[in-house]
Amino acid sequence: MSLLTATNIGRRYTMRRGMMSRPVAVHAVDGVSLTLERGQTLGLVGESGCGKSTTGRLVLGLEAPDAGEVLFDGAPMPPPGTTAWRKLRARMQMVFQDPLGALDRRLPIAAQVREPLDIHNSLSPDERPARVEELLGAVGLRPDQAARYPHELSGGQRQRAVLARALATNPDLLVCDEPISALDVSIQAQAMNLLVELQARFGMAILFISHDLRAVRQVSHRVAVMYLGRIVEEGEPDAVLHDPIHPYARALAAAIPHPGSRGKPRAVLQGDPPNPADRPSGCAFHPRCAIAEAACRVSVPPLLARPDGRAVACHLAHDPAFAKAA
Ligand code: SF4
């Protein structure tokens, strides 16, 4: 049984464009299905505003979906805030983008790592200091740093402290939302390696949310590419990132700088992402797609499985002439 299964989940918000305007529905997440196996990492990648973070909140039960269902360990996710949901929280933790914002500036690091153990009554009070020490060691913090306050640590050290706290209750699932984007580029690789090491040691599954394809490739067992609230391609990282099929996934992959390219991307996406409140008809990617056809403006392409283990949502991807056309 998979640890996490989301089936056709959706989340709508209502917003106004101005004081006098009528409210409009924004589909932040629309019909997303994903599966996460125990001890594995699913990378969720896409541009800012594509619905990645909302998807993370839905699978954690921080928000209830308007449509679809989330199963955790085979059972439906309890409604947010209920006693049943709070009990599950020890098994599901989240790591946010900004480690300084995630930590309490008034408390030393050791106290913050211990906090989840106290809240969830994990281990006996006598056993908790040893667990804190073990966790700080696992994330590479020195014993003398346990007594420091967040502002006395570097950004990378703070993110290590956040990881130690998230792992305190030995969770089955970690949702990491842009966990390296606030870190200095020089230490991002270290943070990624640490995440891989911690997964090997503690065995948790990870939903890794990022706009950075290189980071996603480094840590993920599977990758899902999102565009305007929907998954457009899903499969193994090598296939999706080295030989993408969906035109949007192709554009993202082409934008990764190559060694020797002095950081310049080979190609960039045309135009800005559309406003989610004004989603284009049919395939939402059609205004930016170089190979769009008339049908693309009319009907939404379903996410269809392919014989190579991938799933792609593009009308032309299942057409034998596609490879030539693209
Ligand atoms: Fe492009 Fe059409 Fe495929 Fe959408 S369905 S990605 S517009 S070819």
Side-chain angles (χ1 to χ4, degrees):
M1 186 200 317
S2 302
L3 177 68
L4 182 86
T5 310
T7 308
N8 279 327
I9 55 171
R11 185 75 172 102
R12 265 183 328 181
Y13 301 103
T14 304
M15 61 174 277
R16 290 177 189 272
R17 296 179 200 199
M19 291 286 286
M20 306 299 287
S21 62
R22 287 169 47 192
V24 290
V26 177
H27 293 263
V29 175
D30 188 10
V32 165
S33 295
L34 51 87
T35 301
L36 186 49
E37 305 298 340
R38 289 163 209 281
Q40 300 242 314
T41 299
L42 173 67
L44 196 54
V45 68
E47 290 165 292
S48 173
C50 73
K52 313 183 291 293
S53 296
T54 305
T55 302
R57 294 175 62 78
L58 293 178
V59 301
L60 271 180
L62 293 170
E63 290 182 44
D66 300 315
E69 182 180 48
V70 178
L71 297 181
F72 183 78
D73 215 359
M77 182 69 72
T82 58
T83 306
W85 178 77
R86 276 194 290 273
K87 272 189 187 164
L88 264 189
R89 288 290 287 134
R91 299 179 60 193
M92 309 178 295
Q93 295 291 332
M94 188 149 189
V95 173
F96 294 98
Q97 177 177 354
D98 174 17
L100 191 56
L103 294 168
D104 187 334
R105 297 166 194 236
R106 300 160 302 176
L107 280 180
I109 295 303
Q112 302 199 48
V113 174
R114 182 186 163 122
E115 214 166 35
L117 300 173
D118 295 335
I119 291 171
H120 297 289
N121 214 11
S122 303
L123 305 176
S124 71
D126 288 349
E127 291 171 313
R128 291 173 197 168
R131 175 69 174 160
V132 170
E133 198 177 317
E134 180 202 1
L135 289 161
L136 292 176
V139 299
L141 289 175
R142 297 190 311 270
D144 64 288
Q145 290 170 325
R148 296 200 187 162
Y149 289 81
H151 69 274
E152 296 176 305
L153 300 179
S154 68
Q157 290 165 345
R158 285 195 283 265
Q159 193 58 296
R160 287 170 189 265
V162 167
L163 277 171
R165 188 176 63 178
L167 293 171
T169 54
N170 216 3
D172 297 305
L173 171 65
L174 209 53
V175 174
C176 298
D177 191 357
E178 300 280 6
I180 61 163
S181 48
L183 301 181
D184 193 276
V185 174
S186 61
I187 56 167
Q188 288 184 352
Q190 284 176 30
M192 304 297 296
N193 290 338
L194 175 64
L195 206 54
V196 172
E197 282 171 33
L198 292 172
Q199 186 178 49
R201 178 166 174 176
F202 294 103
M204 68 284 186
I206 300 175
L207 179 62
F208 187 89
I209 297 169
S210 178
H211 67 281
D212 184 338
L213 258 74
R214 282 174 300 181
V216 166
R217 182 169 56 199
Q218 194 177 333
V219 299
S220 303
H221 298 91
R222 296 209 45 104
V223 171
V225 180
M226 271 189 96
Y227 188 79
L228 269 190
R230 296 184 181 128
I231 291 177
V232 296
E233 182 159 347
E234 194 268 340
E236 292 185 354
D238 276 351
V240 175
L241 303 177
H242 290 299
D243 184 24
I245 294 171
H246 192 281
Y248 175 63
R250 288 186 175 204
L252 284 185
I256 299 177
H258 277 235
S261 65
R262 295 172 189 263
K264 287 182 184 164
R266 284 186 292 152
V268 292
L269 272 165
Q270 299 300 311
D272 295 323
N275 182 345
D278 205 6
R279 188 208 293 259
S281 60
C283 173
F285 188 60
H286 83 252
R288 304 169 83 187
C289 181
I291 58 168
E293 296 189 344
C296 303
R297 297 172 181 80
V298 179
S299 64
V300 178
L303 187 68
L304 295 179
R306 295 168 56 91
D308 63 0
R310 266 190 268 190
V312 181
C314 170
H315 291 308
L316 299 188
H318 306 282
D319 178 341
F322 172 74
K324 208 171 157 192

